[in-house]
Amino acid sequence: MSDAAPLSAVQMAAAVRAGERTAADLVDESLARIGRRDGEVHAFLHVAADEARAAAAEVDVMAAAGRDPGPLAGVPVALKDNLCTRGLPTTCASKILQGWRPPYDATVVERLRAAGAVVVGKTNLDEFAMGSSTENSGFGPTRHPRDPSRVPGGSSGGSAAAVAAGYVPVGLGSDTGGSVRQPAALCGTVGVKPTYGVVSRYGLVAFASSLDQIGPITTCVADAAVVLEVIGGHDPRDSTSLAGPPPRITEALGRGVDGLRVGVCRELVDGTAPDVAARVAEAAEALASSGASVEEVSVPEMRYGLSAYYLIAPAEASSNLARYDGARYGLRVDAEDVAGMNTATRTAGFGAEVKRRIMLGTYALSAGYYDAYYGKAQRVRTLLIDAFARAYARVDVLVGATAPTTAFPLGDRVDDPMAMYMSDVCTIPSNLAGHPAISVPFGEGDDGMPVGVQVLAPALHEERMFQVAAVVERAAHQRSGSPQGGRS
Ligand code: GLN
C-alpha cells in the first residue's frame, strides 16, 4: 500500500472513472492512514470501515459495468458527527445523544453518496458545534495533526484534522459562526461557508437555525468547488433552502481576477496577530499583481458582530436543544416523575458550554428581556447587512484574516470563554449576513503553523468568491515554492 502524498478528490475521482484505481483501494488506504495515526489525533468518533468497504465495492461494480459513479467516484469522505447518517451513530459529541442512530441520511450525505463518494466515518466536534477548539467534545479533544500539543480549531476540528492528516481529501463541517472556516484555517486546509440556503440542512442537527450552513473542508480550492456543486441546490425537505439550480463554480476557477475590485477589510485585519496580518497583506499584494484593484475598506459595524452573535446563537440554541428531554433520543436518566427525568437527563447529558449557552439563550428570550437582548441583536444584524451592502457597492469581494491567531495550545482558552469566543471574530459577520466566505491556506505564522486568508462575497456570489480564492491559492503555492496547482 503506497504512502505517497494523498491525491486530491478531483484526482481520485478521475482515476476511478478512468478505471486506473479502484474505490476499494482508495478506501483501504484511507482506513490504513486512520488506523496508523488516529489514536493520537482523534479526528474520528466513529470509523465505519465495513460500511465504507461495502459502499466502495458498489462504486467499483458500477465503474466495471461502464456506468459513471459520479464526480466524486470512490472519494473517501469524513462527516462531522452532527450530520445524520442512517444506521450510523450521530452524537454531536454529546453524551446526551450517545447510542442514537438516525433512521435517515442528511440530504448532503445522500448527495455525496449519489456522486460516488464513500463515507468512512463521523468526526469529532465541540459538543453541538459550540466552541472553537474541539475541546468541548464530550468524548475528548482532537489534536492538531501537525503539532499534537495544539488544537485543530473548531467546532469542525475533527473534519479539518482528518483532511489535514491526509486521511481523506474531503470533510464536511457545519458553520454557524465560523466552525468550518476557522478549523480549516488552523489546519492549513480550505473551508467554505456557502450562502445561507444554498446547501440543505435537512439532517443537520440544528444549533442556531438562522445561521447554520454546511460546507466542505478540502486540501484545495478545486475540490471544494466540486463538493459544493454536489451538495448544493434546492431541497424541498429544508424550508430555508433556496430555489434554483445547484451553484456552478468549477468553470469560474481559472478566470483570474483581472479587473476585479478587492477590498482589504480593516476590521478583519486590525486586532489579528502581526504574522497573520502580514499574510493577509501578502495575499492582497498577490491579487493586485494578478490584475485586481485593491483598496482598503472599512465595515465598522463588524465590530458588533460578536456581541450580536452571542445573543442570537444561544437564543436559538436554547430553543433547538429543548428536544433533548430523555424521552426521544439517546440518554435517559430515570427519576421519580417526568420533570425529574428531564432534569436528571439534561444535567448528566450536557457539558458545561452547552449548559452555559442554554442559560444565556433562555435569559435573552425571557419575556422581560426579549426586546433588550434578542430584539436588539437582530437590529444590529440588519445594520451589519446594510454596511456590507455599502462595502459591496465599492468592491466585488472583501479579504481579511479567517482567525486572529494560528492554532493555539490545548487548554489555553478553556477557562476563558471570552478568549475562546474571540477566535470567531473574523468569521461571524458572514453568518449574520448570510453571505458566503472561504478560507484559503496562505503560508505560516512565526510558529510555523498554517494561516488562512478569508475571501468574503455578497450573497449568491460563490462563483466570484472561488475565482478570487483560486488566485490566492496559486499565490500561496508560488510563495512556498510548491508546484502551482499541484493538487488539482
Ligand atoms: N465558535 C462559535 C461558537 O461557539 C461558532 C461555532 C459554529 O460555527 N458552530 O458558537
Side-chain angles (χ1 to χ4, degrees):
M1 203 168 292
S2 117
D3 208 19
L7 302 173
S8 73
V10 168
Q11 289 169 330
M12 284 187 186
V16 171
R17 286 167 126 176
E20 293 156 8
R21 295 294 308 267
T22 64
D25 259 8
L26 294 174
V27 162
D28 278 342
E29 282 175 20
S30 170
L31 294 171
R33 287 195 170 94
I34 295 166
R36 277 199 294 276
R37 272 204 80 191
D38 211 44
E40 179 182 42
V41 174
H42 195 222
F44 282 94
L45 292 177
H46 180 78
V47 178
D50 293 343
E51 294 86 347
R53 289 200 178 95
E58 279 178 38
V59 170
D60 287 332
V61 166
M62 239 176 130
R67 284 179 296 144
D68 183 6
L72 293 173
V75 174
V77 300
L79 303 173
K80 186 176 186 177
D81 203 25
N82 60 354
L83 292 166
C84 286
T85 41
R86 182 158 33 101
L88 292 182
T90 299
T91 65
C92 295
S94 180
K95 296 201 167 74
I96 212 156
L97 276 172
Q98 211 166 2
W100 183 60
R101 286 171 193 257
Y104 64 97
D105 276 334
T107 295
V108 290
V109 177
E110 265 183 10
R111 289 186 180 176
L112 283 175
R113 292 194 207 277
V118 175
V119 174
V120 297
K122 307 294 295 289
T123 58
N124 203 7
L125 63 150
D126 290 294
E127 187 177 1
F128 285 103
M130 297 174 189
S132 309
S133 69
T134 319
E135 291 166 294
N136 292 339
S137 168
F139 308 117
T142 298
R143 291 172 180 274
H144 197 293
R146 200 185 286 189
D147 176 354
S149 74
R150 298 180 194 246
V151 302
S155 65
S156 313
S159 285
V163 173
Y167 301 157
V168 287
V170 175
L172 286 193
S174 61
D175 192 313
T176 304
S179 278
V180 164
R181 291 162 287 156
Q182 184 262 15
L186 269 47
C187 285
T189 61
V190 172
V192 184
K193 187 203 85 78
T195 300
Y196 186 81
V198 161
V199 177
S200 164
R201 288 104 43 88
Y202 177 78
L204 167 69
V205 178
F207 165 9
S209 303
S210 75
L211 302 161
D212 300 338
Q213 265 291 289
I214 297 166
I217 297 176
T218 58
T219 61
C220 60
V221 171
D223 281 1
V226 173
V227 175
L228 191 50
E229 287 180 351
V230 165
I231 64 174
H234 181 65
D235 177 13
R237 292 177 297 187
D238 174 358
S239 62
T240 64
S241 158
L242 293 169
R248 296 243 43 93
I249 304 160
T250 40
E251 55 223 39
L253 290 177
R255 268 182 212 158
V257 291
D258 209 16
L260 276 185
R261 298 166 302 167
V262 173
V264 178
C265 184
R266 189 182 304 157
E267 288 71 24
L268 302 180
V269 178
D270 287 359
T272 65
D275 50 354
V276 172
R279 295 302 89 78
V280 175
E282 288 167 27
E285 278 165 30
L287 288 167
S289 58
S290 301
S293 67
V294 178
E295 60 178 293
E296 194 184 81
V297 169
S298 176
V299 187
E301 287 79 355
M302 278 190 184
R303 297 195 200 282
Y304 307 113
L306 195 75
S307 311
Y309 174 87
Y310 276 100
L311 290 164
I312 294 167
E316 295 180 9
S318 69
S319 162
N320 276 325
L321 270 59
R323 72 192 67 175
Y324 307 106
D325 54 6
R328 285 175 278 195
Y329 308 92
L331 183 75
R332 173 180 302 169
V333 178
D334 285 320
E336 295 288 295
D337 55 18
V338 172
M341 182 276 283
N342 294 158
T343 306
T345 301
R346 289 168 69 85
T347 302
F350 288 138
E353 183 62 26
V354 174
K355 286 175 181 161
R356 179 174 10 248
R357 304 281 179 113
I358 292 172
M359 286 188 282
L360 282 171
T362 306
Y363 185 75
L365 290 178
S366 57
Y369 294 103
Y370 183 94
D371 202 52
Y373 291 112
Y374 188 71
K376 193 164 183 183
Q378 292 290 23
R379 290 193 289 278
V380 169
R381 194 171 181 177
T382 303
L383 291 178
L384 176 63
I385 292 169
D386 293 347
F388 263 119
R390 282 193 297 276
Y392 286 128
R394 282 178 54 190
V395 294
D396 299 308
V397 295
L398 292 169
V399 299
T402 306
T405 66
T406 56
F408 44 92
L410 257 89
D412 225 30
R413 300 184 188 171
V414 281
D415 296 324
D416 186 349
M418 267 312 288
M420 192 68 90
Y421 296 174
M422 286 299 290
S423 314
D424 296 296
V425 69
C426 300
T427 44
I428 280 173
S430 308
N431 298 84
L432 289 170
H435 294 173
I438 184 170
S439 180
V440 182
F442 197 91
E444 290 161 352
D446 296 340
D447 53 7
M449 300 304 284
V451 170
V453 165
Q454 197 180 188
V455 180
L456 297 77
L460 293 173
H461 285 283
E462 269 80 359
E463 205 178 291
R464 184 194 297 167
M465 176 179 92
F466 270 84
Q467 201 180 325
V468 176
V471 173
V472 172
E473 178 180 60
R474 209 175 312 139
H477 287 155
Q478 276 161 357
R479 187 180 176 280
S480 72
S482 75
Q484 179 182 324
R487 280 241 170 233
S488 48

